[in-house]
Amino acid sequence: GESVGLHLPTLSVQEGDNSIINCAYSNSASDYFIWYKQESGKGPQFIIDIRSNMDKRQGQRVTVLLNKTVKHLSLQIAATQPGDSAVYFCAENRAAGYQKVTFGTGTKLQVIP
Amino acid sequence: DSGVTQTPKHLITATGQRVTLRCSPRSGDLSVYWYQQSLDQGLQFLIHYYNGEERAKGNILERFSAQQFPDLHSELNLSSLELGDSALYFCASSGQGVVGEKLFFGSGTQLSVL
């Protein structure tokens, strides 16, 4: 079946360190992967995305890595700050047609000051 | 502020009742999506509307229905409510509803069924 799941429910990181949040997916037909951040009391917010024809994409302090061989996705946050504390979701989207974005369970990132 | 407006923010009701959640998309967006987020669960896709027409359906219960009106706002109707329907319901919008567009989420409606 199709699923997008996360390896760890909670991740604690010291402020200033790098964070790595992992995600596994099972649908080989997925074409598009996205990371969203959800702060307490708010809706999810887009962070970064990557197409299946890429294996790495960088943004501001964030990098997404895609390993299609093992169906693994990761989000790296450099120099983690207290404002990065949130739940992070990976999501996948279909290759064709209209959007049907499927989200994983989420990883809670706790930044220790 | 994402530009997506959801009302009400909180809703408390009893089992067996019916409620309507409302969503106004970002200005110019034609697509609206509904998601359900239960405690400790991820976001479950319910349904996607584009310019008034249903485009994709997820695991939406038969007791739930949605529609998108000519002014592009959307409503999610939940009927015969059960305790397990208590959740945070999010609406999101995007431009054309095609793969690759960012979703912009509202702040959600917290539904409590007692």
Side-chain angles (χ1 to χ4, degrees):
Chain A
E2 300 165 351
S3 69
V4 177
L6 293 161
H7 292 306
L8 298 172
T10 306
L11 177 66
S12 295
V13 174
Q14 202 73 38
E15 181 179 355
D17 287 351
N18 296 334
S19 302
I20 300 177
I21 302 171
N22 295 304
C23 175
Y25 67 94
S26 62
N27 187 355
S28 299
S30 294
D31 181 65
Y32 177 59
F33 301 89
I34 320 104
W35 282 98
Y36 282 86
K37 171 186 180 183
Q38 185 178 19
E39 297 175 274
S40 181
K42 297 183 179 180
Q45 181 180 13
F46 173 91
I47 301 174
I48 192 169
D49 58 7
I50 189 168
R51 290 276 181 188
S52 60
N53 61 356
M54 301 171 67
D55 53 20
K56 181 179 180 179
R57 191 172 186 202
Q58 289 184 297
Q60 187 176 14
R61 282 201 307 119
V62 294
T63 301
V64 56
L65 299 177
L66 175 63
N67 185 330
K68 295 181 287 292
T69 302
V70 295
K71 298 179 187 173
H72 184 268
L73 191 68
S74 69
L75 177 70
Q76 300 179 359
I77 304 174
T80 310
Q81 302 169 359
D84 295 326
S85 293
V87 176
Y88 290 81
F89 294 94
C90 65
E92 57 114 3
N93 207 346
R94 303 296 183 266
Y98 289 93
Q99 294 213 90
K100 185 181 176 184
V101 179
T102 302
F103 284 77
T105 306
T107 292
K108 184 175 181 180
L109 177 64
Q110 296 178 326
V111 181
I112 304 166
Chain B
D1 182 11
S2 67
V4 178
T5 304
Q6 288 188 249
T7 56
K9 291 191 182 300
H10 302 277
L11 198 50
I12 301 174
T13 188
T15 55
Q17 295 298 305
R18 172 188 170 96
V19 296
T20 298
L21 312 183
R22 183 187 169 100
C23 169
S24 294
R26 288 190 323 156
S27 178
D29 282 356
L30 299 177
S31 273
V32 170
Y33 313 78
W34 286 98
Y35 283 84
Q36 178 193 56
Q37 185 175 36
S38 301
L39 190 64
D40 296 330
Q41 295 295 314
L43 289 133
Q44 302 297 314
F45 170 74
L46 296 178
I47 201 161
H48 166 199
Y49 273 86
Y50 168 76
N51 204 22
E53 295 186 11
E54 182 184 306
R55 286 302 183 196
K57 219 169 186 176
N59 296 325
I60 187 167
L61 299 172
E62 285 190 9
R63 299 183 287 109
F64 296 1
S65 64
Q67 58 185 133
Q68 187 179 25
F69 294 86
D71 67 352
L72 301 177
H73 90 272
S74 178
E75 293 181 355
L76 179 66
N77 299 296
L78 315 176
S79 62
S80 303
L81 285 167
E82 302 175 359
L83 296 177
D85 297 327
S86 294
L88 196 53
Y89 291 84
F90 285 105
C91 166
S93 75
S94 72
Q96 302 297 316
V98 296
V99 174
E101 286 182 339
K102 296 177 187 177
L103 298 185
F104 293 87
F105 282 82
S107 297
T109 293
Q110 179 68 59
L111 174 65
S112 299
V113 183
L114 306 178

